[in-house]
């Protein structure tokens, strides 16, 4: 079976590489010439563990190729996956569908046989109908079926997630398209991952509902984190005790500085907008969006207060910039809000991230980028651990302290053992327990005022 994947970013490139690794003939298409030129030279546009090896192996095996020319790529294809971005529209937060619709129109113009057009991008309910109309308008004689097949991979572990998914959701309206998709996902590589067949609209909604639920779980534990700080519990124990309940589950119960990334912020905004358009109130999701936005900005106060409120001329070493570990993705990272708040207070910021610094430079100019954590700590009045890169749990604390002006650590990911930090002479503040931390009220002026 020949597959074309349009959009060679975090989802499209992983999907294309993994399908080819399972033996399919795959062409990855992108309209960014530089990306495609680099991919042809073996240079990947993103950091994703294990991806480079899979790409290299399948290019050599002549199962995977790259092009900017969709027309050529579509020749003889059975399925075309749309995996372009659906970023939030600046004015109302709804998913901006212009990239998906542009690709649909281009597919319509070039398709030359029966083609299953698969929406892998995260798209609002009803998008499949619009894509179908665009295809038919562009190519009235073409035989198309539009399928929704949302992607659930997580950056950083994307290969494992794609190859061994918890479930594969296929929303197809036509039998022949369902058959093509079932054949694709029944190949031995997917090792019997459960396939959920639904209507196209249900499939589109499953993706948003899942992400809104996960975002809610994160916001929930973060609120419990604040309550622990104010009332005297320890969020790590509370989360463990909650997570052992099989109805709740232990995942997504790590308190932190708020969710970020390319999915949860935009998908919660988009589902809330969809609901409003349908005159349905998603009060819970709206509250989660508001709470998470407030939290990201408020998190800087933990550090500002630790440094007695006056940051002018002080130096903060920020360890970790990406929205989570094992990716170079900076989209909506909590680090952006935290660093911005520090700069607003006239602090000097020295930062280190193992993979994210190139992407960070465009978003966070005016800070000093360093080669490692110890270099970032030089002359610092405090260290802020913002992303949970495992190497930050292994820092040589004595060496770190020797570099700093003041031995202060604010650990937004609870990575360092408080006892070890204190024994090394640090003033240490983690998240979600009272000692050395601040009550929720001081972060949320609106709540305090009530
Ligand atoms: P991305 O920005 O990394 O990649 C999108 C790619 O599409 C870019 O390389 C861009 O150049 C290309 N593109 C745009 N218009 C094009 C066109 N007309 N023709 C060819 N290529 C074009 O985006 P992403 O993170 O891979 O996300 C893609 C979709 O998948 C989004 O809807 C997202 O919500 C969803 N998704 C993302 C993740 C994730 O972890 N990143 C997980 C699940 C689902």
């Amino acid at each position: 079976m020949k597959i074309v994947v349009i959009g060679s970013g975090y989802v499209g490139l992983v999907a294309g590489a993994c399908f080819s690794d399972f033996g399919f003939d795959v062409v990855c298409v992108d309209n960014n010439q530089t990306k495609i030129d680099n991919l042809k030279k073996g240079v990947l546009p993103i950091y994703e563990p294990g991806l480079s090896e899979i790409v290299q192996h399948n290019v050599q095996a002549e199962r995977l190729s790259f092009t900017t020319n969709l027309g050529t790529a579509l020749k003889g294809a059975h399925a075309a996956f749309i995996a372009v971005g659906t970023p939030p529209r600046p004015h109302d937060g709804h998913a901006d569908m212009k990239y998906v619709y542009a690709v649909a129109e281009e597919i319509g113009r070039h398709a030359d046989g029966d083609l299953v057009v698969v929406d892998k991008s995260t798209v609002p309910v009803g998008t499949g109908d619009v894509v179908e109309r665009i295809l038919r308008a562009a190519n009235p004689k073409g035989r198309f079926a539009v399928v929704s097949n949302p992607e659930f991979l997580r950056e950083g572990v994307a290969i494992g997630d794609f190859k061994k998914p918890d479930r594969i959701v296929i929303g197809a309206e036509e039998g022949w398209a369902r058959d093509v998709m079932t054949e694709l996902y029944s190949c031995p590589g997917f090792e019997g991952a459960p396939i959920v067949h639904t209507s196209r609209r249900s499939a589109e909604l499953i993706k948003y509902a899942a992400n809104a639920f996960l975002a809610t779980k994160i916001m929930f534990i973060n609120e419990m984190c604040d309550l622990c700080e104010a009332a005297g519990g320890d969020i790590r124990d509370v989360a463990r005790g909650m997570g052992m309940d099989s109805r709740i589950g232990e995942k997504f119960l790590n308190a932190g500085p708020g969710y970020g990334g390319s999915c949860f912020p935009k998908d919660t905004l988009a589902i809330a907008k969809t609901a409003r358009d349908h005159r349905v109130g998603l009060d819970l999701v709206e509250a989660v969006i508001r709470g998470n936005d407030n939290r990201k900005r408020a998190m800087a106060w933990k550090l500002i207060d630790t440094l007695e409120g006056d940051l002018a001329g002080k130096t903060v070493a920020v360890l970790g910039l990406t929205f989570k570990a094992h990716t170079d993705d900076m989209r909506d990272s909590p680090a952006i809000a935290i660093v911005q708040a520090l700069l607003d207070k006239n602090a000097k910021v020295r930062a280190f991230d193992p993979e994210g610094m190139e992407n960070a430079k465009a978003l966070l100019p005016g800070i000093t980028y360093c080669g490692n954590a110890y270099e970032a700590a030089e002359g610092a009045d405090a260290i802020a651990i913002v992303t949970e890169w495992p190497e930050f749990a292994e820092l040589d604390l004595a060496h770190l302290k020797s570099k700093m002006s003041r031995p202060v650590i604010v650990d937004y990911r609870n990575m360092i053992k408080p006892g070890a930090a204190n024994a090394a002479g640090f003033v240490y503040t983690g998240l979600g327990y009272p000692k050395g931390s601040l009550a929720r009220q001081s972060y949320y002026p609106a709540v305090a005022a009530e």
Side-chain angles (χ1 to χ4, degrees), residues 323-344:
F323 83 93
K324 66 172 185 175
H326 307 295
T327 180
D328 59 352
D329 200 339
M330 282 294 299
R331 287 177 282 188
D332 267 314
S333 172
I336 299 171
I338 293 173
V339 169
Q340 201 51 59
L342 300 178
L343 294 176
D344 289 348

Side-chain angles (χ1 to χ4, degrees), residues 291-313:
N292 192 66
D293 278 352
N294 287 344
R295 183 174 188 81
K296 284 200 273 193
R297 281 194 294 275
M299 278 292 109
W301 281 99
K302 210 170 179 68
L303 191 69
I304 295 166
D305 288 356
T306 306
L307 293 177
E308 295 97 31
D310 179 17
L311 289 196

Side-chain angles (χ1 to χ4, degrees), residues 75-155:
K75 295 232 176 314
H78 300 88
F81 283 74
I82 303 178
V84 296
T86 46
R89 285 195 306 225
H91 60 284
D92 64 358
H94 203 36
D96 189 342
M97 299 306 297
K98 66 173 179 252
Y99 306 103
V100 170
Y101 294 159
V103 170
E105 205 272 333
E106 211 184 335
I107 293 174
R109 273 191 284 120
H110 291 291
D112 63 353
D114 295 1
L115 187 67
V116 180
V117 177
V118 188
D119 216 327
K120 207 162 225 344
S121 297
T122 302
V123 294
V125 57
T127 295
D129 303 1
V130 182
V131 167
E132 201 169 284
R133 281 200 295 276
I134 294 172
L135 289 165
R136 300 212 188 291
N139 187 343
K141 291 191 183 142
R143 186 173 182 236
F144 303 103
V146 179
V147 171
S148 169
N149 170 222
E151 181 51 55
F152 300 94
L153 64 77
R154 295 161 298 164
E155 289 173 21

